[in-house]
Structures are given as structure tokens and as C-alpha cells.
Amino acid sequence: MLKRFWVVPVLVSLALLVALCHAGCGYEAIFNFGDSNSDTGGFWWAFPEAPPPNGMTYFKRPVGRASDGRLIIDFLAERIGIPFVSPYLKSIGSDFRHGANFATLASTVLLPQTSLFVSGLSPFALPIQLNQMKHFKIQVDKLYPNGSSNLPPPDVFGKSLYTFYIGQNDFTSDLAKSGVEGVKERLPQVISQITGTIKELHGLGGRIFFVQNLAPIGCYPAFLVELPHGDKDIDEFGCMIPYNNAVVKYNNMLHDALSQTRQELSDANIVYVDSHKALLELFQRPTSHGLKHGTVACCGNGGGKYNFNPKVFCGNTKFIDGQNLTASACDDPENYVSWDGIHITEAASNIVVDSILSSGFTDPPFEISCS
């Protein structure tokens, strides 16, 4: 792992070694940037909450997470040994001593061109989340010396893990209309925004960046129902080949861009996290990991191969064609990869974290060790 850095000056190499040594319980906080895959309640505090049965497994009530329980970001916090990270938008009862979560449901990397009520995309895109982070740092530097009890010390920004799980909505929001080729045209801009954000966070003191790639959307029940495809587009595992191939191309581009950014910021550790590999394995071989169901949603309506009805989302009831339709949850979400057709279950999140913190899922290698 260190051979690639031997050509840099000794002082820079030592700085990087110090940064790498933080890959353990030395993290004091997490600052997260993302969409619904890592939103721990930010969207809820700005807009209406996700209804029951969200949160049914761990929290026993809705807590603003699009899942039956904990998300990947929650399990990461547990492994590091810090509390769950408070949403930045949470105005009552927030505790930012261990970081802040800027993610919101439906967020994109690029700024949306229309409002939430037209496009369905969150106004809190990555550039806005970055501005929120900058404002957060200003307030910490200003208020902590005056005794604010729910803020971290100003030196926290160099002792934190900066996590990214965002880009899926840039990829999928217009996919049915514009197709794979249309989406591909925007991908370089998406990646440039991510690397540019890392550079700005580096300027604020950030040194360890944990960047998750895109999930295999061709295996998600919602997209299997909503995206156009033919029988020949489905592989032996029930996933859509063209869309998964397009995601792989994006992930390769992201990997290369992060490698280049790592060279430019030689005192930082920028980790490419292959969540795609872990999730694809789950969708393809759920029984090999103690689960039973891959491409079928636990919480949905309609039954059949996917149990997903785009007219009725998880926890909602609608009167359609003369009858009330309810998207309700299964009794055993611990046996499912997919929670609601778009997001994964707590069980799947836990398995993904086990995978990405083991060997072969990150570049450069990354582990959390509390021993």
C-alpha cells in the first residue's frame, strides 16, 4: 500500500502515515454528505417524516431513516465508537459533538434545475451541503470557546472521517426519460463536483475521506419495475444488465478521479469504497449471507416478483381504481436485501459494513481497529 508514496518527500510521507494511523478508533467525529442512503433525519426536519413502518426493527418508530432500522452510516459510527451522527437540519435535541450529517433524502451531487415539488429532488444538493459544512465550522470556531455544550472542539476537523454516499439520484432521476447514454453525458460533471468538494473540505482541515461508489441499481425492485428493459436485458440473478454496466463505468471513472485527487492532496487519505461490490453480492446471492430475498421489497404493494408499486410507497395508503392500496412491511425484514424497493434493510447495511471494512473492498486498504 505504501509503495506508491515512496517517491514523495519524507515529511509528506510521514504526514500521510499519521493520517493512515487514524484509521481506527482515533476518529472523534463523522461529517457525512449524501442522499437518502445515509440521511439520518435531515429531510424529516425540513419536510414531513417518513411514516411507519420505517424504523420498525431497531428504533421501533420512524426516525427519519428510509429503512427498517440502522443505515450504513449508523453502523460506521458504531464501529468507530461514537454516537449516531445528528442531522445538521435537526433544530431540537441535536448533538454535534461527534460530527454532523448533511445528507437529505433525494439529494443530488449537482444542483437541481427545478424545485422539489416539480422534480422530486431535494434542494440540499452537495454544493449546499458543503456550504452548510463551512457555516458549521465557522460557528464551531466562534461558539465553542464561549462554552457551547453541543459542539465539538475546533480541532475536530482534522480528526474526523468525512464520508460520502451520494450520486444515485443524479444517475437515476432522469434515467427512464434520457436513457443510459443521456445520463452518461453528466457523469464527468458529477465526479468533478465530488472531487472538488473533497478539495474544499481538505482546505477546512479534513484529511480522511471515505467515498462510497454507486450501488447496482439494476438489481433494485423499484428500478426493475420503472426502467424500460426487455427479457434479454435481465441476467441470471434477475438484475438489469445495461443499467448495472453503466454504473460500473461510472464507478471506474470515480475510482480514477479519486486516485488523481489523492496524488494532488498527498497529505490526505482518500478512500474509494466499493459498496457496489458488496451490494451486488447480496442481491445475487442473498442466501449465502443469511438472507432469503434479493430483488423483492419487504415494504411495498403488489406482491409478485418485486412487491413494488410506484403509485404507493412504503407506509402509504392511496385510493386507486376504486380501492385502497397500502404498501405495508413484511414480518421479517431481516431476511431481505431491499427494504422498500429503493433502499436497503438494516440487515443488508450491516453486512455491507462488514464487507467494506474487510479486505478487498477499499482502495487504498482501510480498516477500523479498536484493539
Side-chain angles (χ1 to χ4, degrees), residues 4-337:
R4 69 172 65 194
F5 303 110
W6 284 350
V7 297
V8 298
V10 172
L11 290 178
V12 174
S13 297
L14 290 175
L16 180 59
L17 285 172
V18 170
L20 290 171
C21 287
H22 281 293
C25 292
Y27 294 118
E28 296 183 3
I30 293 176
F31 293 101
N32 182 65
F33 304 85
D35 52 32
S36 57
N37 291 304
S38 60
D39 182 359
T40 54
F43 193 86
W44 169 34
W45 283 92
F47 303 100
E49 178 188 7
N54 289 289
M56 62 180 279
T57 295
Y58 182 80
F59 302 98
K60 308 302 180 183
R61 59 186 174 84
V63 288
R65 289 161 171 82
S67 176
D68 62 307
R70 290 164 289 183
L71 309 178
I72 290 173
I73 184 68
D74 295 316
F75 285 109
L76 283 174
E78 287 184 350
R79 305 298 171 84
I80 290 172
I82 64 173
F84 297 148
V85 185
S86 287
Y88 175 75
L89 295 175
K90 184 178 180 180
S91 56
I92 300 174
S94 58
D95 184 348
F96 298 119
R97 288 176 295 174
H98 298 282
N101 189 356
F102 301 96
T104 63
L105 180 147
S107 286
T108 50
V109 173
L110 303 179
L111 287 168
Q113 300 302 306
T114 57
S115 75
L116 168 71
F117 306 103
V118 175
S119 67
L121 298 175
S122 169
F124 302 106
L126 184 57
I128 304 302
Q129 294 181 24
L130 174 61
N131 285 340
Q132 291 172 331
M133 175 67 194
K134 292 177 178 178
H135 181 71
F136 179 87
K137 186 178 187 303
I138 290 172
Q139 296 306 307
V140 167
D141 292 341
K142 176 182 177 182
L143 298 176
Y144 182 83
N146 296 327
S148 292
S149 60
N150 69 333
L151 295 176
D155 65 353
V156 74
F157 301 103
K159 303 176 181 179
S160 302
L161 183 65
Y162 293 78
T163 55
F164 290 76
Y165 197 8
I166 191 168
Q168 184 168 309
N169 293 315
D170 297 86
F171 199 95
T172 62
S173 61
D174 196 40
L175 189 54
K177 179 180 178 181
S178 62
V180 170
E181 294 305 317
V183 170
K184 282 181 180 178
E185 295 178 1
R186 296 196 301 272
L187 297 185
Q189 188 178 358
V190 170
I191 292 172
S192 177
Q193 183 68 57
I194 292 174
T195 57
T197 300
I198 290 172
K199 292 175 183 178
E200 292 209 45
L201 291 171
H202 179 267
L204 298 179
R207 290 299 180 268
I208 314 291
F209 302 92
F210 196 77
V211 186
Q212 294 178 245
N213 61 9
L214 288 192
I217 63 165
C219 299
Y220 280 60
F223 301 124
L224 280 160
V225 170
E226 296 183 300
L227 294 178
H229 64 278
D231 292 341
K232 293 182 179 180
D233 295 324
I234 301 295
D235 66 18
E236 60 182 302
F237 303 103
C239 300
M240 295 181 290
I241 299 170
Y243 300 107
N244 276 352
N245 286 346
V247 168
V248 169
K249 289 184 179 179
Y250 167 86
N251 287 341
N252 289 338
M253 292 169 57
L254 177 64
H255 177 271
D256 292 345
L258 293 178
S259 296
Q260 177 61 40
T261 307
R262 193 181 305 121
Q263 294 178 19
E264 296 175 19
L265 305 177
S266 56
D267 63 338
N269 189 23
I270 302 171
V271 183
Y272 171 82
V273 183
D274 199 353
S275 301
H276 176 278
K277 179 181 177 182
L279 281 167
L280 186 62
E281 171 67 18
L282 276 184
F283 278 114
Q284 291 179 341
R285 301 176 182 85
T287 57
S288 297
H289 302 274
L291 307 180
K292 295 180 180 179
H293 309 287
T295 57
V296 57
C298 165
C299 186
N301 172 269
K305 293 174 64 177
Y306 308 120
N307 191 37
F308 179 82
N309 184 344
K311 296 180 181 180
V312 189
F313 291 109
C314 177
N316 292 311
T317 297
K318 286 191 176 181
F319 189 75
I320 300 174
D321 296 331
Q323 59 180 328
N324 280 320
L325 300 179
T326 299
S328 56
C330 62
D331 295 328
D332 56 341
E334 70 275 8
N335 288 319
Y336 286 73
V337 178

